[in-house]
Amino acid sequence: MTDMHPSLLEMSGIVKHFGGLTAVAGVDLELERGEVLAIVGDNGAGKSTLIKILTGVFVPDEGEIKMEGVPVRIGNRRDARALGIEAVYQSLALVDALDAAGNVFLGHELRRSFMGIRLLDNARMAAEATRVLKDNVGIELDNLSEPTIHLSGGQRQAVAIARAIYHADLKVLVMDEPTASLGPEETRNTLALIRGLKEQGMALIVISHNLDHVFAIADRVMVMRNGRCSGIRSTAEATKRDVLGLIVSEEAAAAA
Ligand SMILES: Nc1ncnc2c1ncn2[C@@H]1O[C@H](COP(=O)(O)OP(=O)(O)OP(=O)(O)O)[C@@H](O)[C@H]1O
Ligand SMILES: [Mg+2]
């Protein structure tokens, strides 16, 4: 992109070593507003490491990150969050004993005054959580008041997304294998959720091992191999076989 219209996100020359191992060996990534970018590649290719650099879990050894054309420093998760970059993991970051609304408002509780006493406004939090889940995440929970430990993996993920949307000016949502441990119906719901977020103009980076899912949701797919990008393809123009060829070595693809 030109400087007149910079991409939403630009990562360039990203390198990350773990001791003697190079997990990410000089990767560029660009993401536009409203775009779903999938990252695929074999186990150990460096996918999670790359997005953990974006979300502030790891600091890169080399490379530059720009948001809307402006160089940024992401030293920790709070820095990423302040830039509107959030990662959502199925297993992570919900308090099991709280219900969905309690989790959406955790640390940002809504209160009301009753005879001069500040009380939690549970009714308003429940109503707001219901609204965000329905309008922004596209899911209606019939078990809104259950502790979230009783929710399914997909529902928990939806609550985590609702929280991210509610409290931040969310610009980039990162999902690392969002359908990995979901059943068929939950998987369909999560793919629909991703499409719904894209329709609202959200940009998403989704790591997946499932090319059917990738082709169902992504605009572009970036293939990583041995810490490098081995190709980027538009899902409208490429086939799954093309992408598979980039994931495995060229020789293996030719033999398949
Ligand atoms: N915290 C860490 N300490 C040391 N090595 C790590 C660490 N995290 C990842 N690695 C190594 O970096 C390489 C890339 O790992 P990464 O998790 O990024 O791969 P991945 O593409 O996400 O794989 P998968 O598809 O299995 O999730 C691997 O060799 C891995 O063992
Ligand atoms: Mg991974």
Side-chain angles (χ1 to χ4, degrees):
M1 282 267 132
T2 65
D3 286 337
M4 293 289 287
H5 299 285
S7 299
L8 174 63
L9 167 72
E10 234 177 299
M11 300 174 80
S12 43
I14 303 292
V15 173
K16 179 69 186 173
H17 306 286
F18 292 113
L21 182 137
T22 304
V24 177
V27 170
D28 301 339
L29 178 155
E30 246 180 90
L31 184 70
E32 303 300 335
R33 292 162 191 79
E35 182 182 41
V36 178
L37 174 71
I39 305 180
V40 303
D42 250 335
N43 296 117
K47 307 179 295 295
S48 294
T49 304
L50 180 68
I51 62 112
K52 283 177 178 169
I53 287 167
L54 180 62
T55 56
V57 177
F58 297 137
V59 176
D61 296 310
E62 286 174 46
E64 190 186 41
I65 302 177
K66 286 183 183 172
M67 280 291 284
E68 300 174 309
V70 179
V72 294
R73 212 191 88 78
I74 302 177
N76 54 47
R77 287 174 217 212
R78 202 184 316 142
D79 291 347
R81 218 163 272 154
L83 292 164
I85 302 166
E86 275 272 9
V88 165
Y89 304 92
Q90 224 171 285
S91 54
L92 215 86
L94 290 188
V95 178
D96 288 341
L98 290 177
D99 66 11
N103 272 286
V104 169
F105 288 98
L106 188 66
H108 306 264
E109 288 80 3
L110 301 179
R111 294 180 187 276
R112 64 191 168 91
S113 276
F114 177 73
M115 296 175 66
I117 307 167
R118 300 289 287 158
L119 300 174
L120 288 179
D121 193 344
N122 289 316
R124 195 151 60 93
M125 286 193 278
E128 279 291 277
T130 304
R131 183 184 64 75
V132 178
L133 280 164
K134 184 163 176 289
D135 294 352
N136 299 96
V137 190
I139 178 173
E140 289 188 66
L141 286 186
D142 47 20
N143 40 8
L144 193 76
S145 55
E146 291 269 328
T148 50
I149 189 144
H150 294 158
L151 302 187
S152 71
Q155 290 172 326
R156 292 171 60 86
Q157 194 159 255
V159 171
I161 293 170
R163 180 167 64 192
I165 289 174
Y166 196 88
H167 299 292
D169 179 10
L170 190 59
K171 292 183 178 145
V172 179
L173 183 65
V174 177
M175 302 175 93
D176 195 343
E177 305 194 29
T179 56
S181 60
L182 302 182
E185 189 183 342
E186 289 265 287
T187 296
R188 275 195 297 279
N189 290 342
T190 295
L191 297 178
L193 186 162
I194 291 169
R195 279 192 293 262
L197 292 171
K198 173 186 161 62
E199 275 164 26
Q200 294 173 53
M202 187 92 66
L204 291 98
I205 299 176
V206 181
I207 296 178
S208 177
H209 280 283
N210 186 313
L211 287 186
D212 291 326
H213 297 172
V214 165
F215 274 75
I217 56 163
D219 299 290
R220 289 185 307 144
V221 51
M222 168 172 156
V223 182
M224 287 190 69
R225 193 165 71 207
N226 298 330
R228 295 180 188 280
C229 171
S230 57
I232 298 175
R233 295 289 181 271
S234 150
T235 53
E237 288 159 16
T239 64
K240 286 170 202 161
R241 201 184 161 79
D242 297 334
V243 173
L244 200 59
L246 293 167
I247 295 173
V248 298
S249 71
E250 274 84 17
E251 311 86 73

